[in-house]
Amino acid sequence: MAAYDTPYQRLEASYTDSPLGEHDLLVHVPEGSKSPWHHIENLDLFFSRVYNLHQKNGFTCMLIGEMFELLQFIFVVSFTTFLVSCVDYDILFANKLVNHSQSEHVKVTLPDAFLPPGVCRARIQENGFLTSLLIIAGVFWIHRLIKFIYNFCCYWETHTFYKQALRIPMSDLPYYTWEEVQSRIVQIQKEHQICIHKKELSELDVSHRILRFKNYMVAMVNKNLLPLQHRLPFLGNTVFYTRGLKYNFQLIFFWGPGCLFQNEWSLKPEYKRAGARLELSEKLAQRILWIGLANLVLCPLVLVWQILYAFFSYTEVLRREPGSLGARCWSLYGRCYLRHFNELDHQLQARLSRAYKPASKYMNCFLSPLLAVAAKHLGFLAGSILAVLIALTVYDEDVLAVEHVLSTVTLLGIVVTICRSFIPDQHLVFCPEQLLRVILAHIHYMPDHWQRSAHRAETRGEFAQLFQYKAVFILEELLSPLLTPLVLIFYLRPKSLEIIDFFRNFTVEVVGVGDTCSFAQMDVRQHGNPTWMSAGKTEASVYQQAEDGKTELSLMHFAITNPRWHPPRECSAFLSHLRERVQKDSAAGNQKNSPSGLHHLQCSGLSFQSDSEPHSLMANVLPGISPGVFPSHTEVLASPHISAVTEVASALRSLSPQQSYYPVQNQSAVCSDFGSNVWEGTVNSATMSEYASTEMSLHALYMHEILDLCKEVQWLDSQWEGGVRMYHQADILKLYKRKGRKMSSLHRFRRYRCLLYCTGRSPVKSFLGNREDII
């Protein structure tokens, strides 16, 4: 087991999300004055039901939806059994004549192909495999029925909670935003004492309860702990993450028999101690092996169900819209990789929906010219034959009675649609860098090596792992029963010791919440990354740092979407530092540009979302995209990122200050302006949501531009540390030629000076020594 040793360090929980003096607090309420919702034991499950009921638009919609799911299962099983055992396909395909007592020219009808009930029943009983499948399906349906009855009782209690405690009728629930519902939950804590361990609940407490296990999954994907990326022959680097594999991960870690948690809110005590890590890893590896073998045994059943469900779900869609499989969707891996800590499902879906159109346009920029030529000619041939068949059908409908004519027409229609998907739009402009910036404004995360590489096929391939074809998604789901056991046994099981160390090192106990993932605390001091403006504010080692700025961006997102939340001291210091940096860059941009404004953000921040496509956001923020806005000569000499930084900073300051997350002196007054009418309507909450989305998009762009600037300066500093001395401009030219850039020596030197100034570094003279003749 020595090979399983990991470099993770023990992370002490030195912070909580509780007000001072509440660590050992138990709120006692007289017995007679207790409400029905006093001291709810399982708040995780309760808050999850409250959230699910809101997202499913009320009790009636949720109840009818689950009833139809039960009926759908019965339909799939019974209809499949009928097709297998109760249809005479020789009569259906006209391979056998039907014995009619009348004339031989009587037309064959569909009921003629149905077998009598007695024959059908006998064929089912004779088929042992089919009988076994029906028994298993019956047991599974009874289990779902019992679960439905249990959920009905639980959600009825949640329905009562909405009406009596939150005072929200079910008829009005679809028109309330979740932020309004969450605000009422926080406010009724004082009256009902839902949690007896804290006097007050915060928005972060509610999110921790709902997203406890999802935060762990996001953290494990962020630290690349789960075996999701594989290198295959002929395919290269691929990502395999399906709903079946996700279900098995949750079964192993969170709620299955022998999992790591003893209940929804507490990790088992033995997993918190480092002494038994080897024994626990052996136990976990054995459990993963048994679950993998169980998946292998159940593989035929799950595979049959996956095929049937996919057939009934997508066949009609494929017939109606043959090009739908050529459309794209966000993969499960992409959803987990792009998710912030403490980000709810509807918030994530809203971000990805805004990024869908620019992401589709970006992927369409890389259509193969060779495939386009072949598809154009193949589509012409198929379309010509299809046109002739349609014309003959219009002339005489008996043409459809000819064998295989209808099948040929359908097949040719599919071929024409598929070929059309490979032909690029003649009005499409190749601008991958700008499109990738638009995408970044909404997805917020992007690997560093994608910068200035949007035109490369490697970048497109990696982005395709996040934004895959719908057909690829269906194929992966169909292959999931076959590949999931292999992933569990051969890839996840060797990581058992790393998994044990992860849950021990990155689990903290929060008063009133329980054991949570320490990354979900969004503590910059514990998990910040110095390259993401956390330098001097973080004590995290390399193994404790979240990758890709996940801690910093998650903190900004949660603070922006929850303006009433009061972050801890370290988080407030980071946000204050970011505010000062934005003000500084904005002031620098205002000095260079006229008061008339380089962008139209001052008119309305909502214009970003009102447009069907978010190009207006990027056109107003990034230099060189808007036709009416061009970067100045000085900005071109400096850096392509500097103008973007000042543009974004100015845009951030142009937004309404009421929606700013930055800590201010009179924060309660700001909150009261928005919270006074939050119980009476949805206008203010919807407006805040639009501003929050716009502000977070701008902050994501701003942080990435700052990161690029700092990395370029770090590269220049590394040249100095390596012994390179710029005694004259010719040396500067040689230095930059090493990086393969074409620019005059004077322009390069001015750019270096501007980089140092804009990144807040010390004067250039300190880097150049006493050679002031080149300054």
Side-chain angles (χ1 to χ4, degrees):
M1 296 302 297
Y4 290 164
D5 196 12
T6 64
Y8 288 121
Q9 303 296 322
R10 176 68 179 173
L11 177 62
E12 300 295 337
S14 58
Y15 55 92
T16 64
D17 188 42
S18 306
L20 295 178
E22 290 194 9
H23 299 276
D24 300 317
L25 175 65
L26 285 177
V27 180
H28 298 281
V29 180
E31 190 69 27
S33 61
K34 288 183 179 179
S35 72
W37 299 280
H38 172 75
H39 183 29
I40 298 176
E41 182 178 359
N42 193 343
L43 277 176
D44 287 38
L45 191 58
F46 180 76
F47 284 153
S48 298
R49 287 172 181 157
V50 172
Y51 178 72
N52 291 334
L53 194 64
H54 174 268
Q55 294 300 303
K56 294 181 180 179
N57 298 314
F59 179 78
T60 304
C61 293
M62 186 214 65
L63 181 65
I64 294 177
E66 292 195 0
M67 289 177 60
F68 275 117
E69 288 181 2
L70 289 174
L71 296 176
Q72 186 184 71
F73 183 83
I74 295 177
F75 170 79
V76 171
V77 173
S78 58
F79 187 56
T80 303
T81 304
F82 175 80
L83 292 177
V84 171
S85 303
C86 301
V87 177
D88 192 341
Y89 289 96
D90 289 332
I91 295 178
L92 190 65
F93 296 146
N95 296 328
K96 183 172 67 174
L97 296 178
V98 181
N99 294 325
H100 288 285
S101 58
Q102 297 146 355
S103 173
E104 296 182 357
H105 299 287
V106 175
K107 187 175 182 179
V108 178
T109 61
L110 192 61
D112 292 334
F114 298 161
L115 297 176
V119 178
C120 180
R121 190 182 308 108
R123 294 183 64 176
I124 293 175
Q125 293 175 354
E126 293 173 358
N127 193 335
F129 179 72
L130 180 60
T131 304
S132 302
L133 290 180
L134 290 176
I135 294 174
I136 296 174
V139 173
F140 180 72
W141 187 85
I142 293 174
H143 169 263
R144 292 190 62 176
L145 178 62
I146 296 174
K147 185 178 179 181
F148 168 76
I149 297 174
Y150 173 75
N151 287 337
F152 174 82
C153 299
C154 295
Y155 277 104
W156 180 257
E157 180 184 359
T158 308
H159 164 267
T160 307
F161 175 78
Y162 265 101
K163 293 182 63 177
Q164 297 182 5
L166 300 182
R167 298 180 179 88
I168 300 177
M170 286 294 104
S171 58
D172 296 338
L173 184 59
Y175 309 106
Y176 279 79
T177 64
W178 170 250
E179 287 71 23
E180 291 175 304
V181 175
Q182 181 178 253
S183 175
R184 297 196 179 192
I185 293 175
V186 172
Q187 292 183 20
I188 67 170
Q189 163 67 11
K190 299 177 181 179
E191 176 184 355
H192 297 279
Q193 289 300 319
I194 300 175
C195 177
I196 63 172
H197 297 281
K198 302 182 71 173
K199 285 184 178 180
E200 297 180 358
L201 286 177
S202 68
E203 293 81 357
L204 188 59
D205 294 334
V206 179
S207 297
H208 279 165
R209 293 285 190 174
I210 299 174
L211 301 170
R212 188 188 305 272
F213 296 152
K214 290 184 179 180
N215 282 328
Y216 274 107
M217 293 296 295
V218 172
M220 285 190 283
V221 171
N222 181 257
K223 298 298 290 183
N224 199 24
L225 183 61
L226 299 178
L228 304 180
Q229 300 182 4
H230 311 277
R231 187 170 183 83
L232 302 177
F234 307 107
L235 296 178
N237 293 325
T238 59
V239 172
F240 180 77
Y241 190 40
T242 62
R243 287 179 291 191
L245 187 59
K246 177 182 176 181
Y247 177 85
N248 279 274
F249 286 158
Q250 295 174 346
L251 182 70
I252 293 170
F253 300 144
F254 304 125
W255 52 266
C259 67
L260 281 64
F261 282 75
Q262 60 184 3
N263 48 46
E264 283 83 355
W265 62 88
S266 180
L267 189 69
K268 290 180 179 178
E270 57 267 25
Y271 290 98
K272 300 178 182 180
R273 298 187 294 267
R277 56 192 293 267
L278 297 179
E279 292 79 1
L280 292 174
S281 66
E282 290 279 5
K283 182 180 177 181
L284 180 61
Q286 186 177 11
R287 183 166 176 269
I288 294 174
L289 176 63
W290 283 111
I291 292 180
L293 293 176
N295 277 268
L296 199 60
V297 172
L298 297 175
C299 174
L301 301 178
V302 180
L303 183 60
V304 169
W305 170 257
Q306 291 278 55
I307 294 175
L308 291 176
Y309 187 81
F311 177 78
F312 291 132
S313 299
Y314 299 109
T315 302
E316 193 277 332
V317 177
L318 182 62
R319 183 198 64 80
R320 178 166 38 89
E321 299 178 6
S324 59
L325 296 182
R328 291 185 176 270
C329 63
W330 296 101
S331 65
L332 289 180
Y333 172 75
R335 290 178 177 273
C336 198
Y337 172 79
L338 299 175
R339 189 170 197 152
H340 294 296
F341 293 120
N342 303 305
E343 184 176 21
L344 295 168
D345 293 343
H346 74 281
Q347 297 171 341
L348 174 66
Q349 182 60 39
R351 284 200 298 119
L352 298 184
S353 297
R354 295 187 186 99
Y356 184 85
K357 284 189 177 181
S360 299
K361 289 188 175 183
Y362 173 75
M363 298 302 293
N364 291 336
C365 288
F366 294 88
L367 293 177
S368 172
L370 181 61
L371 282 178
V373 173
K376 189 177 297 183
H377 291 279
L378 180 61
F380 173 78
L381 297 177
S384 301
I385 301 174
L386 179 62
V388 171
L389 292 177
I390 292 176
L392 292 175
T393 302
V394 172
Y395 178 76
D396 190 351
E397 63 180 7
D398 291 336
V399 175
L400 293 176
V402 179
E403 189 176 13
H404 301 312
V405 168
L406 188 60
S407 302
T408 303
V409 170
T410 304
L411 182 61
L412 289 174
I414 294 175
V415 171
V416 170
T417 305
I418 294 176
C419 291
R420 192 181 303 159
S421 65
F422 287 99
I423 301 175
D425 185 4
Q426 60 179 347
H427 303 295
L428 182 66
V429 179
F430 185 75
C431 52
E433 292 290 347
Q434 289 87 341
L435 287 173
L436 198 59
R437 279 299 184 208
V438 179
I439 298 170
L440 176 61
H442 298 298
I443 65 176
H444 301 167
Y445 294 100
M446 187 176 69
D448 298 338
H449 60 273
W450 288 8
Q451 293 289 343
R452 295 180 297 277
S453 300
H455 60 283
R456 298 171 62 96
E458 294 81 0
T459 304
R460 186 259 185 196
E462 293 179 7
F463 185 72
Q465 297 175 353
L466 308 179
F467 194 60
Q468 61 183 175
Y469 281 114
K470 187 71 174 179
V472 175
F473 172 80
I474 297 173
L475 180 62
E476 288 181 350
E477 292 295 332
L478 293 178
L479 295 177
S480 179
L482 300 174
L483 300 180
T484 295
L486 303 180
V487 173
L488 296 178
I489 296 174
F490 297 106
Y491 293 96
L492 182 65
R493 193 164 60 95
K495 289 178 171 287
S496 59
L497 185 57
E498 296 181 41
I499 295 171
I500 294 297
D501 289 337
F502 176 87
F503 278 93
R504 185 186 71 255
N505 293 328
F506 300 114
T507 296
V508 294
E509 183 177 358
V510 180
V511 175
V513 177
D515 292 335
T516 63
C517 181
S518 60
F519 287 101
Q521 294 294 323
M522 303 174 294
D523 191 344
V524 177
R525 181 171 60 88
Q526 296 286 353
H527 297 296
N529 194 320
T531 59
W532 289 83
M533 298 183 66
S534 296
K537 301 176 181 61
T538 179
E539 302 173 359
S541 63
V542 175
Y543 304 105
Q544 294 170 347
Q545 296 171 4
E547 306 298 330
D548 302 320
K550 181 76 76 172
T551 300
E552 292 78 7
L553 290 173
S554 297
L555 174 60
M556 285 191 296
H557 178 267
F558 192 83
I560 290 173
T561 55
N562 298 275
R564 295 181 179 86
W565 176 61
H566 299 279
R569 184 180 65 257
E570 293 81 5
C571 299
S572 297
F574 171 79
L575 297 177
S576 300
H577 172 67
L578 181 59
R579 177 185 61 175
E580 295 172 359
R581 184 61 182 271
V582 169
Q583 291 176 348
K584 174 185 174 182
D585 291 333
S586 176
N590 291 336
Q591 291 176 0
K592 295 185 211 177
N593 303 302
S594 62
S596 59
L598 292 175
H599 47 73
H600 305 287
L601 294 175
Q602 297 172 352
C603 299
S604 175
L606 300 178
S607 61
F608 301 152
Q609 308 306 330
S610 61
D611 192 2
S612 59
E613 300 178 18
H615 290 285
S616 57
L617 171 63
M618 301 302 295
N620 293 321
V621 173
L622 292 183
I625 300 178
S626 177
V629 179
F630 299 95
S632 64
H633 181 66
T634 306
E635 290 169 343
V636 174
L637 297 182
S639 172
H641 304 293
I642 293 176
S643 180
V645 168
T646 57
E647 288 281 335
V648 177
S650 301
L652 282 170
R653 294 199 64 182
S654 70
L655 289 174
S656 173
Q658 291 176 325
Q659 178 55 22
S660 176
Y661 68 84
Y662 302 120
V664 294
Q665 296 295 331
N666 194 10
Q667 188 172 8
S668 60
V670 174
C671 295
S672 63
D673 291 340
F674 277 87
S676 58
N677 296 325
V678 73
W679 288 56
E680 300 176 2
T682 60
V683 177
N684 286 346
S685 181
T687 304
M688 288 176 60
S689 178
E690 295 291 343
Y691 272 104
S693 173
T694 302
E695 187 175 359
M696 186 60 212
S697 297
L698 294 175
H699 274 99
L701 292 173
Y702 179 78
M703 291 288 286
H704 280 275
E705 294 294 346
I706 288 293
L707 179 67
D708 295 337
L709 281 173
C710 293
K711 286 189 175 181
E712 192 160 357
V713 171
Q714 288 175 1
W715 179 83
L716 291 169
D717 289 346
S718 66
Q719 304 302 312
W720 283 94
E721 294 173 0
V724 179
R725 295 297 177 182
M726 300 183 188
Y727 288 110
H728 47 76
Q729 297 176 2
D731 291 333
I732 302 175
L733 180 60
K734 294 178 182 178
L735 175 63
Y736 275 85
K737 280 185 176 180
R738 296 182 184 180
K739 209 169 182 180
R741 301 183 179 181
K742 297 180 179 179
M743 191 182 298
S744 67
S745 58
L746 180 59
H747 289 179
R748 292 182 185 281
F749 180 65
R750 289 176 179 173
R751 176 174 175 178
Y752 179 53
R753 294 183 62 185
C754 195
L755 279 170
L756 294 175
Y757 172 76
C758 292
T759 51
R761 301 295 298 271
S762 56
V764 183
K765 184 166 61 175
S766 63
F767 289 87
L768 302 180
N770 295 324
R771 296 304 304 250
E772 299 183 4
D773 54 316
I774 64 173
I775 298 179

